[in-house]
Amino acid sequence: HNRWWIGLDVPKNFSFARDRIVECCFWILAVYYEPQFSQARKMMTKLIAMLSIIDDTYDAYGTIDELELFSKAIERWDIKNLDDLPDYMKLIYRTVLKALEEIEHMTKEGRLFTLKYYIKEFQMVVHAFMTEARWLNNNYVPTIEEYL
């Protein structure tokens, strides 16, 4: 189920990002270890792996202006936002939207309501990444309370 990761070609397309797919697989295995939750493991591995790339983008690569654009695109959650992004972010954005679309197709009919929670949590994490990027850009050291 990691063909999508190989197809993403992290070393070539995101040379700044850590290639952490094995770590992500083990992390999710600790959460969903029962055999019957293989679909949930696939879903969560994709999301955690993409969040890892996004985290590295915010921490080590993107300019503050690019990160603002990406954050706004994630807030809007619409493929139409693709044109405003730099090329490397377009691939990230497209991959995230496709992963959530796959989750939607894998989700059983009665559980489709959970998709909006996946998206909301994903948006909250990206918002937190943006907050940290703004702090760094402004040479601001947050208090412990702010950071938490």
Side-chain angles (χ1 to χ4, degrees):
H1 79 90
N2 289 327
R3 269 185 254 145
W4 69 274
W5 187 258
I6 293 166
L8 195 54
D9 198 358
V10 173
K12 179 182 159 234
N13 292 315
F14 310 107
S15 60
F16 58 89
R18 298 164 289 174
D19 192 345
R20 302 174 70 188
I21 193 64
V22 174
E23 180 183 346
C24 292
C25 288
F26 278 113
W27 183 5
I28 298 308
L29 188 60
V31 176
Y32 292 114
Y33 56 88
E34 296 96 337
Q36 68 268 29
F37 296 126
S38 65
Q39 290 295 84
R41 280 194 298 277
K42 289 177 188 177
M43 288 186 251
M44 291 308 299
T45 298
K46 282 185 180 186
L47 292 180
I48 295 297
M50 289 311 301
L51 280 172
S52 175
I53 290 174
I54 293 169
D55 184 35
D56 290 343
T57 303
Y58 276 79
D59 287 349
Y61 192 75
T63 67
I64 196 70
D65 292 335
E66 290 172 343
L67 299 174
E68 292 283 0
L69 286 173
F70 189 79
S71 294
K72 286 177 184 155
I74 291 290
E75 280 176 32
R76 290 189 215 107
W77 205 266
D78 188 344
I79 195 68
K80 294 175 193 153
N81 297 308
L82 205 58
D83 295 337
D84 299 335
L85 299 174
D87 288 341
Y88 77 98
M89 284 185 167
K90 287 178 183 178
L91 181 55
I92 295 170
Y93 195 70
R94 220 181 286 115
T95 304
V96 167
L97 291 180
K98 185 176 179 193
L100 269 291
E101 190 178 294
E102 288 172 13
I103 289 171
E104 181 178 10
H105 292 305
M106 284 193 276
T107 304
K108 292 185 176 139
E109 188 65 36
R111 304 215 19 107
L112 276 177
F113 71 92
T114 61
L115 188 63
K116 70 179 179 180
Y117 293 107
Y118 275 114
I119 294 168
K120 179 134 178 78
E121 291 299 318
F122 200 93
Q123 290 168 322
M124 287 174 56
V125 171
V126 169
H127 178 75
F129 291 163
M130 189 66 234
T131 299
E132 288 180 347
R134 286 184 189 122
W135 288 339
L136 181 64
N137 187 62
N138 295 320
N139 293 320
Y140 178 74
V141 178
T143 65
I144 295 292
E145 291 78 24
E146 287 174 310
Y147 185 76
L148 293 175

